[in-house]
């Protein structure tokens, strides 16, 4: 049983060296030392393998659990015989006589390095999401919000307390037909990423434009369980574009209604635009004029 047990099972005395009375063969893989090297601290003690920065905290936590006669669960670092730092997870408890006197400490130590690295990566990714400048929200299958980042609050005005547990549809502005949302939902529930622009409603009732990407997320069974929406405020861009379009429209009206003939030509004197007055004067359609150069419409004597 001990040979097949993952990690290192042990029995030790309750002293600062954790003098080992028994250690399983998993000790070799975990620490790099064979069991006999740690047995009764013949080569080194397990306590000496604990990272110096963690050693005192581990000792204090074990002593507290023993004084309260409960199990202890610890995560800390050890130094492998190769010099590599590894994370371990340990569970242990005291063994007592019928009178309540402590006989020994028994427990199990598992290599936790991969899990710790994965958790660190998850923490870094979570920090990146929190720090992101774009509003991010996570919703479940019922469209209920389960998480938002601070940028979402800055964008919409809704805090986590306001919106978590409520429907993401609270942002709907009424500016789009229901068919748009039906197509959107059908797409993401079929497993497709949706990207587009929406006019949404802030908490204060104001409208804003956002560019949004919604990505479905599957669980371990391959079923879609959540949707991650990344939102970027494009209100200024849209308003600038609208202003440009309005300006161009005003220019077009003035250009077409002018009493004089106007042409727009490129660097090669090719006509790229002409108003209706010029077309009437020369007898060409606008499309025909845009195939000519200024030289083509000039009289030979000119």
């Amino acid at each position: 049983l001990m040979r097949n047990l993952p990690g290192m099972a042990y029995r030790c005395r309750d002293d600062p060296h954790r003098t080992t009375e028994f250690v399983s063969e998993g000790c070799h893989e975990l620490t790099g030392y064979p069991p006999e090297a740690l047995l009764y601290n013949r080569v080194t003690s397990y306590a000496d393998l604990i990272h110096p920065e963690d050693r005192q905290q581990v000792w204090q936590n074990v002593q507290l659990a023993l004084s309260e006669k409960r199990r202890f669960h610890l995560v800390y670092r050890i130094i492998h015989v190769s010099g590599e730092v590894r994370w371990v997870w340990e569970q242990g408890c005291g063994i007592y006589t019928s009178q309540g006197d402590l006989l020994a400490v028994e427990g199990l130590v598992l290599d936790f390095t991969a899990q710790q690295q994965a958790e660190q990566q998850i923490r870094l990714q979570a920090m990146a999401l929190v720090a992101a400048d774009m509003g991010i929200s996570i919703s479940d299958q019922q469209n209920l919000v389960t998480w938002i980042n601070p940028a979402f609050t800055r964008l919409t005005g809704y805090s986590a307390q306001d919106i978590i547990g409520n429907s993401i549809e609270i942002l709907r502005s009424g500016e789009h037909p229901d068919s748009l949302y039906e197509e959107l939902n059908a797409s993401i529930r079929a497993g497709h990423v949706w990207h587009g622009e929406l006019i949404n409603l802030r908490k204060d009732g104001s409208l804003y434009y956002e560019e949004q990407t919604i990505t479905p997320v599957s669980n371990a069974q391959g079923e879609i369980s959540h949707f991650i929406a990344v939102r970027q405020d494009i209100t200024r861009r849209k308003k600038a574009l609208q202003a440009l379009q309005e300006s161009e429209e005003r220019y077009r009206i003035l250009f077409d209604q002018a009493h004089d003939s106007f042409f727009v030509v490129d660097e090669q004197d090719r006509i790229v635009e002409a108003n209706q007055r010029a077309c009437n004067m020369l007898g060409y359609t606008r499309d025909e004029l845009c195939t000519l150069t200024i030289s083509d419409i000039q009289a030979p004597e000119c």
Side-chain angles (χ1 to χ4, degrees):
L1 176 62
M2 290 296 105
R3 275 196 303 270
N4 288 283
L5 193 67
M8 180 186 80
Y10 68 87
R11 180 186 178 101
C12 70
R13 299 171 186 170
D14 182 32
D15 61 41
H17 298 291
R18 300 186 69 165
T19 302
T20 306
E21 297 178 345
F22 166 80
V23 63
S24 68
E25 293 182 13
C27 163
H28 200 172
E29 183 177 352
L30 182 69
T31 70
Y33 290 95
E36 57 269 21
L38 267 65
L39 201 60
Y40 296 101
N41 306 340
R42 287 172 184 162
V43 175
T44 186
S45 71
Y46 181 73
D48 288 339
L49 299 182
I50 298 175
H51 195 286
E53 294 178 4
D54 299 343
R55 200 171 294 159
Q56 185 62 27
Q57 189 66 42
V58 169
W59 169 255
Q60 291 175 352
N61 287 338
V62 171
Q63 294 309 300
L64 178 61
L66 293 177
S67 68
E68 297 174 352
K69 294 187 177 181
R70 59 175 174 80
R71 289 185 180 275
F72 55 85
H73 301 86
L74 309 169
V75 175
Y76 57 91
R77 294 166 292 177
I78 65 170
I79 301 177
H80 190 270
V81 68
S82 66
E84 174 191 359
V85 175
R86 293 188 176 183
W87 286 89
V88 297
W89 175 88
E90 179 180 355
Q91 174 182 289
C93 63
I95 305 301
Y96 303 89
T97 66
S98 57
Q99 288 77 35
D101 298 323
L102 181 66
L103 286 174
V105 180
E106 293 183 352
L108 177 68
V109 183
L110 300 175
D111 190 335
F112 199 65
T113 305
Q115 293 91 327
Q116 188 71 13
Q117 290 173 342
E119 288 182 5
Q120 176 67 9
Q121 185 65 28
I122 290 172
R123 283 194 293 270
L124 290 173
Q125 291 172 350
M127 290 174 63
L129 293 177
V130 168
D133 192 44
M134 292 184 288
I136 302 173
S137 63
I138 301 177
S139 306
D140 62 17
Q141 273 282 3
Q142 286 70 49
N143 285 337
L144 301 181
V145 179
T146 60
W147 183 86
I148 63 170
N149 71 341
F152 180 94
T153 299
R154 293 194 296 271
L155 175 62
T156 68
Y158 287 99
S159 67
Q161 291 77 11
D162 293 329
I163 202 165
I164 289 180
N166 292 314
S167 175
I168 194 65
E169 294 179 2
I170 196 172
L171 299 178
R172 285 195 184 186
S173 63
E175 297 291 317
H176 303 290
D178 290 342
S179 59
L180 172 65
Y181 297 103
E182 291 169 2
E183 292 172 7
L184 186 159
N185 277 305
S187 178
I188 61 176
R189 291 178 188 279
H192 305 300
V193 175
W194 183 87
H195 181 82
E197 296 180 1
L198 293 172
I199 301 174
N200 275 345
L201 187 69
R202 291 191 179 94
K203 183 181 178 181
D204 63 9
S206 62
L207 298 177
Y208 70 97
Y209 291 86
E210 70 174 30
E211 188 173 32
Q212 184 177 158
T213 300
I214 305 177
T215 304
V217 179
S218 300
N219 57 23
Q221 290 72 43
E223 302 166 340
I224 295 174
S225 60
H226 291 82
F227 304 97
I228 300 176
V230 179
R231 310 159 187 276
Q232 183 175 11
D233 189 347
I234 58 170
T235 305
R236 288 185 179 179
R237 186 205 308 171
K238 294 294 288 187
K239 287 186 176 180
L241 181 60
Q242 288 176 352
L244 179 61
Q245 290 172 339
E246 290 172 1
S247 176
E248 289 179 346
E249 183 62 26
R250 287 195 295 270
Y251 162 78
R252 168 60 58 188
I253 292 172
L254 292 173
F255 187 76
D256 279 340
Q257 293 184 353
H259 294 293
D260 295 317
S261 300
F262 285 101
F263 300 91
V264 178
V265 298
D266 62 16
E267 293 177 353
Q268 284 75 43
D269 285 338
R270 290 177 299 201
I271 299 172
V272 295
E273 187 60 276
N275 68 352
Q276 191 59 46
R277 178 72 174 179
C279 295
N280 295 339
M281 180 182 71
L282 297 171
Y284 291 99
T285 65
R286 193 178 308 234
D287 289 340
E288 289 172 338
L289 274 177
C290 289
T291 64
L292 304 175
T293 67
I294 290 294
S295 299
D296 294 329
I297 61 173
Q298 285 180 334
E301 59 273 17
C302 296

